[in-house]
Amino acid sequence: MSKPVITAFDWVPWFAKGLVRDLRVRWALEEVGQGYDVRYLPQGTQKRPAHRALQPFGQVPTYEEEGLALFESGAIVLYIAETHGGLLPADRGGRARAIEWMFAALNTVEPPIMDYAIATLFEADQPWSKPRLPAIVARISERLDELSRRLGENQWLDGSFSAGDLLMIAVLRQLKGTPMAAMHDNLAAYAARGEARPAFQRALAAQLAGFTAKPPPEYAFLDQPPAKQGELA
């Protein structure tokens, strides 16, 4: 059987490295021991018809395997978990709860975190961004409080490590570098346990190694963090 093929970018801005959603798929594949190939896309080509035929919203990742083509990282991770052992419990109830946490990560915890990224990165120069921040931070804080209470002193969300933990930790990692990342010791330790897994380390190294292209000229200013930009100026 041929290896599945995923798509990823060959360059992203400094703040997206280690966070682009193909990492979630790479991590799942590494956890189940499934090899894969990567088709790298230069920035901009994800919006062209050839890629939109696979991903109608012009994003990454996509996943292709023997005539099957999938998009949306959560759906791909669920497919991997369902077709390989190790990411979903064997019993029906445990499996359902793991999937429940997958949905919670993507539908409940991630949306306000993405709002924060939009307000502080993608639309930071817009007049509405700064006034929105207190409300966004309040929503994130509420979700983190709730998640922290539910996790408690447990190692993982529901028994053994599952696809639910994989996606939840991937979502929480987006808060790195913000004050919210240190709000709850148990959540910080939870995310660190996920990042310490050998499968995550392999996936992260593979993603970072794939950023080999130079940025498009119009995005060159995003190739390095602001401090480094200043040093290079």
Side-chain angles (χ1 to χ4, degrees):
M1 184 168 57
S2 60
K3 291 189 289 187
V5 178
I6 68 171
T7 48
F9 292 127
D10 64 4
W11 175 88
V12 294
W14 63 267
F15 54 78
K17 292 179 179 179
L19 294 175
V20 188
R21 285 174 173 80
D22 63 280
L23 179 63
R24 305 174 184 189
V25 174
R26 293 175 188 262
W27 187 5
L29 289 166
E30 292 287 355
E31 287 284 353
V32 302
Q34 172 61 60
Y36 61 95
D37 292 321
V38 184
R39 183 167 66 252
Y40 286 99
L41 303 177
Q43 280 291 334
T45 60
Q46 75 272 21
K47 302 297 185 182
R48 294 177 183 171
H51 186 66
R52 284 190 186 273
L54 294 173
Q55 219 293 359
F57 304 106
Q59 300 170 324
V60 300
T62 59
Y63 177 99
E64 296 172 84
E65 177 188 275
E66 296 187 337
L68 173 68
L70 297 173
F71 64 92
E72 289 295 331
S73 58
I76 298 168
V77 170
L78 178 57
Y79 173 77
I80 293 167
E82 288 186 322
T83 52
H84 298 79
L87 285 175
L88 289 176
D91 65 290
R92 187 168 68 173
R95 177 182 177 279
R97 289 191 300 273
I99 294 172
E100 173 182 72
W101 280 113
M102 295 177 71
F103 278 85
L106 301 180
N107 293 348
T108 301
V109 180
E110 187 166 40
I113 293 176
M114 288 308 302
D115 284 344
Y116 183 83
I118 290 169
T120 59
L121 291 171
F122 302 107
E123 296 180 356
D125 59 340
Q126 299 300 320
W128 57 77
S129 291
K130 191 172 181 180
R132 290 184 64 226
L133 275 176
I136 294 172
V137 171
R139 287 197 299 274
I140 295 172
S141 298
E142 180 181 15
R143 291 295 180 235
L144 295 181
D145 289 346
E146 293 162 339
L147 182 62
S148 174
R149 285 196 297 271
R150 182 57 180 264
L151 178 65
E153 297 182 1
N154 296 321
Q155 186 174 27
W156 308 114
L157 290 169
D158 191 85
S160 300
F161 178 84
S162 75
D165 295 296
L166 187 153
L167 289 181
M168 187 66 76
I169 291 166
V171 167
L172 293 176
R173 291 185 70 250
Q174 296 175 96
L175 291 173
K176 281 196 168 188
T178 75
M180 291 168 286
M183 284 181 62
H184 298 282
D185 290 343
N186 66 333
L187 293 184
Y190 168 64
R193 281 193 294 275
E195 291 179 322
R197 294 178 70 85
F200 174 84
Q201 292 295 318
R202 292 192 298 271
L204 179 62
Q207 185 187 73
L208 295 178
F211 298 132
T212 58
K214 293 183 178 179
E218 64 271 28
Y219 296 129
F221 70 100
L222 292 174
D223 200 35
Q224 298 288 342
K228 291 187 179 180
Q229 289 177 15
E231 292 168 9
L232 294 172

